[in-house]
Amino acid sequence: MRRWTFALCSAAAGLLLSGAAHAYQIDPLTRQPLVDTYPESAKPQATAVPRETVSYDGRFSPGTIVISTSERRMYYVLGDGKAVRYGIGVGRPGFEWSGVKTVTMKREWPDWRPPSEMLRRRPDLPRYMPGGPDNPLGARAMYLGTSLYRIHGSNEPETIGQAVSSGCIRMVNEDVIDLYERVKVGAKVIVQH
């Protein structure tokens, strides 16, 4: 009986693992499919992390953005014990950071020029991309001080909730547009692990 149970469990585990090996996956560096064996109608669809107003007891003043990279959530503090919570994508291993920054500039449908550090890692990237739906910065961008980091939209909603960026904070375009309308230049951004 034990042999039968073991054989049955082994076969089931093998089926599960072979199915997982054929799952649709994205290489976080090249953004290309690793394996794509699903028929078009059966591919997994990205599910947005719902934006919502939540209770918030942080000690930060209204208008502050608080980012929890471990939680992969962003809070825009409203005051009166409330905040708007957004799902975000964060820096992949080796590109994590924390600290306090200030929103120094905001742009709608921003152009993108990969920084030289990124071009050294990825010489295949274009040197310039005009703003638009195919641009990796998405619909809006908020620039953080003199750093290379931004809070920006994304044309890859499947990366929200993941650690795949080069340190920037990604949001779905609908959420970054909502945040963009709320945030003022000069707003404090606190990034925590």
Side-chain angles (χ1 to χ4, degrees), residues 62-82:
T64 302
I65 296 171
V66 181
I67 295 169
S68 171
T69 58
S70 62
E71 206 182 329
R72 307 221 173 115
R73 298 293 184 268
M74 173 190 298
Y75 298 87
Y76 177 77
V77 180
L78 299 171
D80 294 327
K82 300 284 183 197

Side-chain angles (χ1 to χ4, degrees), residues 109-114 125-138 155:
W109 295 107
D111 294 341
W112 182 55
R113 290 173 179 81
L125 290 174
R127 298 318 188 245
Y128 168 80
M129 281 187 78
D134 294 329
N135 188 303
L137 295 183
N155 57 11

Side-chain angles (χ1 to χ4, degrees), residues 162-183:
Q162 305 294 317
V164 296
S165 80
S166 293
C168 286
I169 307 301
R170 295 180 180 187
M171 305 174 75
V172 293
N173 280 328
E174 295 80 12
D175 285 352
V176 81
I177 290 169
D178 181 80
L179 180 67
Y180 185 92
E181 297 301 319
R182 296 173 189 271
V183 139

